Amino acid sequence: MDFPLFHLDWLNDRFLIAMIAIIHVFINHGLAVGFLPYITLLEQQGVVKSGPEDITDLAWDKMVQRMMMVGFVITTTMGAMTGVGIWFSAALISPNSIGSLIRVFYWGWFTEWIVFVSEVVFIMIYFLTWKNSNKSLRAKQRHIRFGWFLSAFSWLTMAIIVAILGFMMDPGNWVEDQSLLSALTNPIYLPQLLFRTPTAMVVAGAFGFLLIMLFTKKDSPIRPTALKTTATWVLLWLPMSILASIYYYNVIPEAMTANMSTAVGTMDFAKYYDLLKYIILIATSSLALLAIWTLWKPKKVNLIIVIIPFVLSLGFLGIFERVREFIRKPYVIGNYMYSNLIREEDYPLLQRDGILKHSTYTSITEITEENKLEAGKDVFMIACSRCHTSQGINSIIFVFEKMYGEGKPLDINSMKAYIPNMHNGRTYMPPYPGNEEELDALAHYIFYLQQSGATLEGAQSAGAHLNPTHSVEHFIEQKTKQQ
Amino acid sequence: MNNTPLPKDIPLDLPLPEWLLVILLVVSFLAHIVFVNLMVGGSIATLWAEIKGLRNKEYDILAQEIAATITVNKSLAVVLGVAPLLSINALYTIYFYTANSLTGIMWILIIPMVAIVFLLTYLHKYTWEAMANMKLLHIAINALAVAMFLFIPLIFLVNVNLMLFPEKWMSVRGFLSALALPNVFPRYFHFICASLALTGLFITWYMGRKNYPFEEYFQVFTRAKVKRIGYQLALGASVAQFLFGPIVMATLPAKGFSWSMMSVILSGVAVAVYAVYYMIKTLRGSDADLNKYFRRIVISMSIVVVFMGSGRHVYRANALNPHRELMAQKTAEFEQASKEAREQALNKQAEANEAIAAAEASGDNTAKGKAVFNNYCAACHKETSLLVGPPVTEMKEIYTDKKADLIKWIKSPGKKRPDAPQMPPFPQINDTDMEDLTQYILNIK
């Protein structure tokens, strides 16, 4: 309405956001929040296990430093950029919601940013001073203390960003008094934090297993010790992670839970539930098995049995993120803005007048027989394109054919009967925002899409059309008339 | 001539007073751009020095020393970029996001491209010894990084430029057409020269520091020699700005110009002349005096940066303020209309409730249920004929005297008819509504 809309017509717009966000969470949790305390612990262990004359066990320390180097390089490149990428992608796809969130959360984000700058600077200091700190025991101890401090810091970064994420899922009292503080005390906050903290530690352990295998030789004496420390670390955090994930899952408000069936694309509710349980079960138990096996037979650990739980634990984290991304449907900002970027409170106006009348970027001022398809396309772009494509992932043809029969020509009247009630039937979709004529145009357009196999270009390639009643010139003309 | 869009704004207040946001924007942007300059300029300087290093080993050492700073500068460039991004998003939401959207593919490609170029710079830095025998390949890695470092700023420039000109938005079809706007390239070269100038001064400072163990690294080069290299780079690039600056001014559309903007820019130019004068003086002086004017030059160049950054903002404010003013009026009108429509809808709702009450008073006990039905079920069910699911009359046949089963079905439907799709569950219907709804279904005639 207020923006020319970017649209990825095959990949699906939500998919883009989800992909970037999930990579970011892997890196942030696995290689920063959980990783820093884990690495510091290993560094400290090197000092403890070295002889009384040595500062640290040098071979061990070298291994830990190389592990940290992986964390350092990845967090300061892909980690930092996917963090920025969440913004970029969300602003492209949901400009109104990000624009609104920034106005409400400016100070929240500003604080988060200060913490983030400090975090990156501290990580640089920690990593880049590693070599020099090996010159004296005091310097080494200072370095380790700094590592603990850094761990606390990066946890704090997460604690702040989780507040913002939590808010988007459940707005608490924000809509009433629109202030930052009320948004921060929303009910989903603590459960999320409780979930993310131990899970980050566990995922870091999974990364640790992998890196130890890569950076130590098969018969090296430090390998079994390092693996055993990692196994203990994982076993310590794993039960907390499991308990917290159950708790987190249970507090997600009921209506939102009902939407979770859509979180893994097209699967049915029951199937999805099984899948989630399955993945949690398999991922956590495979990690637990690996850890126990390591403690029992540390010399018999090989790369393959390390990689499998690693991949599964990423899957575990990924599926929770994906669920989080989806459970706030139909809202992008709970009870305030729907994911079609329309505010709940503007619905009466738009349903009365039509959405095109209030849209800046459409060439249609009045729907006629001739421009019906064009109008339908614009309605689709505004009302459906944030979640549906024309022919790609979660395409509008696919979802209608699933209801009315695959391959059969869609019935325009049935679609017209369905769409105004789609929110009641499927609560994860926002209510249909437009008026009668637009509904007719939309249904015709969907039928046309099915028959022609046509696709829909976003503003990034097709540019935008201007509604002549939404131009500066028109606005001034109206004002002149009023005088 | 209808071609300047006037959308409505995000209908929420700015998070802090506008003047404060502006200050935050300008200051944080300058901090960000300085590190971007050092990162881009540093990678170019590294490439140059490493190529020269093929013949003279000392240049290779110089290249390695400059390269060591890039990865630190790039991390700072990224993290310092977030604050201006936040501020420009808040201040110019509509303008910035529209430009992003119109150049969307390139805009989002910034993310993977920057991640890759950063990985390349690490690869380049950490393989210096390991690839000593594959020097050309090693240089090629950096050449690729430099190419990307040169391209990425162009995407940003296209966006911050496009956002200034709503009157051009309708003519844009993707990144390339936005790139073709007349003032993009002059601004771009202006930026590249600024990067080189700052990098020159940075090299002079970094390798001239007292606690920098210069003699540990270099056998032949003296501090004076490297400092001169830095000064020369800074001087050359600064002089080039006297060419690009006027071209930028000449190609900028007139709408943002004003006396205040010109006076800010021209003051900056005057200070730049002063700095250039002392750079020349230093270069012509003896090695012993290389530090003599350094502070003076750095301070005056910092002032230039502040003036240019402010002038840039004054231009933007001039260019957009009339449009923003109109947009605010339009947003207010929309809010008013929305409010009226809300009230109207509430009245209608009240009327409908009255109608139901009246129907009930006259003995019809299905009116309420019918409203519930229309709300939730009418998309797929009609009273007497098949739509997506069976008609209500058929429901009555199946469920007469089996109300509990009917409720169970509605809350979690099973799967019966082979060619029908799955009916969605309705756990959200509360008990009283459910009572009314089943009352309606089971009493249909």
Side-chain angles (χ1 to χ4, degrees):
Chain A
M1 295 188 78
D2 313 317
F3 295 96
L5 285 175
F6 174 86
H7 178 61
L8 289 176
D9 198 43
W10 191 82
L11 192 62
N12 194 318
D13 294 330
R14 313 211 129 237
F15 200 83
L16 179 72
I17 302 188
M19 197 170 65
I20 297 178
I22 287 177
I23 298 178
H24 182 71
V25 169
F26 283 164
I27 295 174
N28 173 273
H29 287 17
L31 287 173
V33 177
F35 202 63
L36 291 167
Y38 166 72
I39 287 292
T40 311
L41 185 75
L42 288 180
E43 189 189 5
Q44 188 163 16
Q45 196 180 356
V47 174
V48 172
K49 73 200 267 296
S50 67
E53 295 90 64
D54 300 325
I55 293 168
T56 179
D57 176 340
L58 280 179
W60 175 278
D61 195 68
K62 188 85 206 139
M63 170 196 73
V64 185
Q65 192 193 352
R66 289 173 80 182
M67 291 169 75
M68 182 59 206
M69 178 162 158
V70 173
F72 171 73
V73 167
I74 294 188
T75 45
T76 57
T77 56
M78 286 164 66
M81 286 318 294
T82 45
V84 180
I86 293 177
W87 281 54
F88 272 49
S89 60
L92 268 184
I93 282 151
S94 292
N96 303 64
S97 69
I98 293 297
S100 305
L101 284 171
I102 286 176
R103 292 189 184 205
V104 180
F105 270 111
Y106 189 84
W107 286 119
W109 260 315
F110 205 86
T111 318
E112 144 78 9
W113 171 69
I114 304 256
V115 187
F116 173 60
V117 177
S118 325
E119 188 187 0
V120 169
V121 172
F122 291 155
I123 288 185
M124 282 198 295
I125 295 176
Y126 180 63
F127 177 68
L128 297 174
T129 58
W130 196 300
K131 227 191 222 156
N132 276 341
S133 75
N134 282 356
K135 287 184 183 150
S136 77
L137 186 60
R138 274 190 61 196
K140 189 71 179 165
Q141 278 166 340
R142 197 166 347 112
H143 191 252
I144 291 171
R145 267 201 307 280
F146 191 74
W148 289 121
F149 164 75
L150 173 58
S151 307
F153 216 92
S154 91
W155 182 84
L156 191 68
T157 318
M158 180 180 77
I160 295 176
I161 196 73
V162 166
I164 295 171
L165 295 181
F167 156 73
M168 292 199 264
M169 272 172 65
D170 186 315
N173 308 316
W174 176 71
V175 186
E176 270 77 54
D177 59 14
Q178 302 199 343
S179 85
L180 182 62
L181 204 66
S182 66
L184 284 179
T185 55
N186 82 78
I188 208 92
Y189 178 61
L190 264 176
Q192 264 212 70
L193 198 58
L194 281 178
F195 165 73
R196 284 174 192 274
T197 307
T199 307
M201 305 295 168
V202 169
V203 175
F207 267 106
F209 273 122
L210 190 70
L211 293 176
I212 292 170
M213 296 306 290
L214 291 179
F215 289 147
T216 56
K217 296 239 163 55
K218 190 157 192 274
D219 42 9
S220 135
I222 55 176
R223 181 188 267 193
T225 324
L227 286 174
K228 276 163 89 173
T229 307
T230 311
T232 318
W233 170 270
V234 166
L235 283 179
L236 213 74
W237 290 106
L238 201 58
M240 286 187 249
S241 167
I242 295 173
L243 285 179
S245 59
I246 295 172
Y247 175 46
Y248 175 35
Y249 180 80
N250 283 335
V251 294
I252 293 170
E254 233 198 322
M256 291 190 172
T257 315
N259 287 329
M260 285 178 61
S261 60
T262 54
V264 268
T266 59
M267 256 172 268
D268 285 331
F269 191 57
K271 272 200 209 142
Y272 170 66
Y273 246 50
D274 280 350
L275 182 82
L276 181 60
K277 277 191 220 132
Y278 224 49
I279 290 208
I280 294 181
L281 211 75
I282 295 183
T284 53
S285 54
S286 75
L287 254 178
L289 277 179
L290 171 64
I292 293 167
W293 176 259
T294 306
L295 289 179
W296 187 35
K297 291 224 154 97
K299 295 218 164 109
K300 290 235 156 106
V301 175
N302 61 34
L303 200 58
I304 311 231
I305 65 168
V306 164
I307 282 187
I308 294 170
F310 173 74
V311 172
L312 283 171
S313 66
L314 290 190
F316 170 52
L317 195 55
I319 206 157
F320 257 95
E321 284 313 309
R322 184 134 169 84
V323 168
R324 187 191 55 71
E325 168 61 27
F326 275 79
I327 32 190
R328 54 189 157 91
K329 285 174 174 171
Y331 292 106
V332 256
I333 306 178
N335 294 335
Y336 177 72
M337 186 179 283
Y338 286 114
S339 33
N340 52 21
L341 310 183
I342 295 173
R343 291 193 307 172
E344 193 169 27
E345 62 192 79
D346 294 334
Y347 259 71
L349 177 70
L350 300 178
Q351 287 176 332
R352 189 190 72 191
D353 298 351
I355 39 181
L356 297 185
K357 182 173 176 213
H358 294 283
S359 293
T360 309
Y361 299 104
T362 172
S363 52
I364 311 291
T365 39
E366 204 185 320
I367 301 178
T368 61
E369 276 306 313
E370 287 73 50
N371 67 19
K372 201 180 248 181
L373 287 182
E374 193 62 30
K377 183 169 114 183
D378 289 348
V379 174
F380 180 81
M381 190 58 125
I382 294 167
C384 319
S385 76
R386 299 303 88 195
C387 310
H388 292 290
T389 61
S390 63
Q391 316 281 348
I393 295 176
N394 201 18
S395 91
I396 194 73
I397 308 300
F398 167 76
V399 292
F400 269 114
E401 284 193 355
K402 208 173 52 161
M403 251 182 2
Y404 298 134
E406 231 152 282
K408 283 196 235 162
L410 290 172
D411 179 46
I412 291 182
N413 283 325
S414 303
M415 290 195 283
K416 278 167 70 176
Y418 177 84
I419 295 171
N421 285 288
M422 64 185 199
H423 176 60
N424 294 326
R426 301 286 190 200
T427 42
Y428 47 76
M429 281 194 275
Y432 168 70
N435 65 11
E436 282 285 329
E437 295 90 68
E438 289 171 347
L439 176 62
D440 185 55
L442 175 60
H444 276 87
Y445 175 68
I446 295 174
F447 178 73
Y448 160 80
L449 279 180
Q450 185 201 30
Q451 298 300 313
S452 67
T455 53
L456 175 65
E457 268 185 281
Q460 74 273 22
S461 52
H465 292 289
L466 178 59
N467 184 339
T469 63
H470 284 254
S471 66
V472 167
E473 296 79 6
H474 178 83
F475 190 78
I476 292 176
E477 199 181 305
Q478 291 302 106
K479 279 179 46 155
T480 329
K481 275 191 199 143
Q482 279 167 16
Q483 280 183 357
Chain B
M1 202 204 61
N2 274 353
N3 59 13
T4 310
L6 185 63
K8 65 177 195 295
D9 200 0
I10 303 282
L12 292 168
D13 291 337
L14 283 180
L16 45 163
E18 190 171 332
W19 61 267
L20 193 56
L21 259 179
V22 168
I23 292 179
L24 277 173
L25 173 61
V26 173
V27 171
S28 64
F29 175 75
L30 288 177
H32 163 65
I33 204 70
V34 163
F35 286 101
V36 172
N37 283 327
L38 293 178
M39 159 184 101
V40 174
S43 74
I44 298 172
T46 304
L47 183 63
W48 165 80
E50 198 180 1
I51 291 174
K52 282 196 88 149
L54 288 173
R55 299 195 170 197
N56 179 347
K57 192 84 189 73
E58 290 286 293
Y59 276 104
D60 191 68
I61 298 169
L62 178 63
Q64 191 170 7
E65 284 305 293
I66 304 173
T69 66
I70 300 175
T71 44
V72 174
N73 286 333
K74 74 103 181 71
S75 286
L76 292 173
V78 169
V79 295
L80 291 176
V82 174
L85 185 68
L86 198 64
S87 304
I88 201 163
N89 282 359
L91 258 175
Y92 294 107
T93 318
I94 294 287
Y95 305 93
F96 195 65
Y97 289 167
T98 302
N100 295 171
S101 186
L102 289 172
T103 60
I105 294 290
M106 257 327 154
W107 181 248
I108 195 70
L109 278 180
I110 287 178
I111 302 300
M113 279 199 286
V114 176
I116 289 169
V117 73
F118 285 180
L119 285 168
L120 284 175
T121 52
Y122 278 121
L123 183 69
H124 181 247
K125 172 173 160 181
Y126 288 126
T127 54
W128 211 288
E129 275 80 33
M131 291 182 75
N133 294 327
M134 298 175 265
K135 210 59 194 166
L136 284 181
L137 187 60
H138 191 244
I139 291 176
I141 294 174
N142 193 31
L144 181 59
V146 168
M148 292 178 76
F149 271 134
L150 287 177
F151 179 65
I152 294 161
L154 204 51
I155 309 178
F156 280 100
L157 255 173
V158 162
N159 270 271
V160 293
N161 187 58
L162 182 59
M163 69 174 270
L164 297 180
F165 308 113
E167 61 276 13
K168 298 274 174 23
W169 291 349
M170 291 301 115
S171 65
V172 169
R173 301 278 175 279
F175 174 75
L176 286 180
S177 70
L179 182 65
L181 291 181
N183 45 321
V184 173
F185 278 99
R187 284 182 78 175
Y188 175 71
F189 289 117
H190 205 54
F191 160 81
I192 297 293
C193 286
S195 297
L196 292 173
L198 281 182
T199 303
L201 288 181
F202 177 75
I203 290 173
T204 304
W205 167 77
Y206 181 77
M207 298 194 179
R209 282 173 309 150
K210 287 220 173 58
N211 53 359
Y212 178 76
F214 191 93
E215 290 71 19
E216 274 180 33
Y217 301 120
F218 294 91
Q219 270 88 53
V220 183
F221 279 5
T222 57
R223 276 185 201 256
K225 158 107 183 152
V226 174
K227 276 189 203 163
R228 279 185 187 275
I229 291 177
Y231 274 125
Q232 281 163 9
L233 184 57
L235 177 64
S238 305
V239 171
Q241 294 296 51
F242 287 92
L243 173 66
F244 287 115
I247 300 181
V248 170
M249 297 300 258
T251 50
L252 268 180
K255 73 171 187 177
F257 281 92
S258 67
W259 286 115
S260 58
M261 178 231 173
M262 285 309 287
S263 57
V264 174
I265 296 284
L266 289 178
S267 315
V269 174
V271 183
V273 171
Y274 176 83
V276 164
Y277 170 77
Y278 278 101
M279 281 186 219
I280 296 175
K281 197 162 168 165
T282 305
L283 279 170
R284 297 179 78 184
S286 69
D287 282 358
D289 288 340
L290 280 176
N291 282 344
K292 195 165 169 194
Y293 304 116
F294 186 71
R295 278 182 67 164
R296 193 176 296 202
I297 293 170
V298 168
I299 291 172
S300 51
M301 284 299 263
S302 311
I303 296 174
V304 174
V305 169
V306 171
F307 271 112
M308 294 301 168
S310 312
R312 190 172 164 278
H313 180 77
V314 176
Y315 181 87
R316 177 165 54 207
N318 286 342
L320 288 180
N321 278 351
H323 191 270
R324 292 174 77 207
E325 175 51 37
L326 291 174
M327 191 165 73
Q329 291 174 18
K330 170 148 172 189
T331 310
E333 281 181 12
F334 177 86
E335 288 286 275
Q336 183 59 28
S338 176
K339 186 163 164 247
E340 280 163 21
R342 265 197 305 283
E343 281 158 7
Q344 205 181 10
L346 278 179
N347 290 341
K348 258 202 183 145
Q349 182 68 43
E351 276 165 29
N353 287 346
E354 270 167 34
I356 290 176
E360 281 188 336
S362 66
D364 175 3
N365 59 359
T366 61
K368 244 193 211 152
K370 188 166 173 159
V372 178
F373 182 87
N374 283 339
N375 213 356
Y376 292 108
C377 323
C380 303
H381 297 285
K382 285 212 260 193
E383 288 200 350
T384 52
S385 59
L386 182 88
L387 192 57
V388 181
V392 184
T393 45
E394 190 179 325
M395 297 180 194
K396 181 184 172 189
E397 260 167 49
I398 304 175
Y399 288 105
T400 299
D401 298 329
K402 284 189 272 186
K403 192 164 124 186
D405 286 347
L406 176 57
I407 294 179
K408 202 172 141 221
W409 172 277
I410 297 171
K411 289 201 165 164
S412 73
K415 187 86 194 70
K416 271 194 191 168
R417 295 159 187 78
D419 13 310
Q422 173 68 44
M423 173 176 144
F426 291 88
Q428 72 270 34
I429 299 179
N430 65 32
D431 288 350
T432 45
D433 280 356
M434 190 58 95
E435 190 59 37
D436 295 334
L437 176 62
T438 48
Q439 172 86 1
Y440 162 73
I441 293 175
L442 297 176
N443 288 303
I444 196 90
K445 286 180 198 84

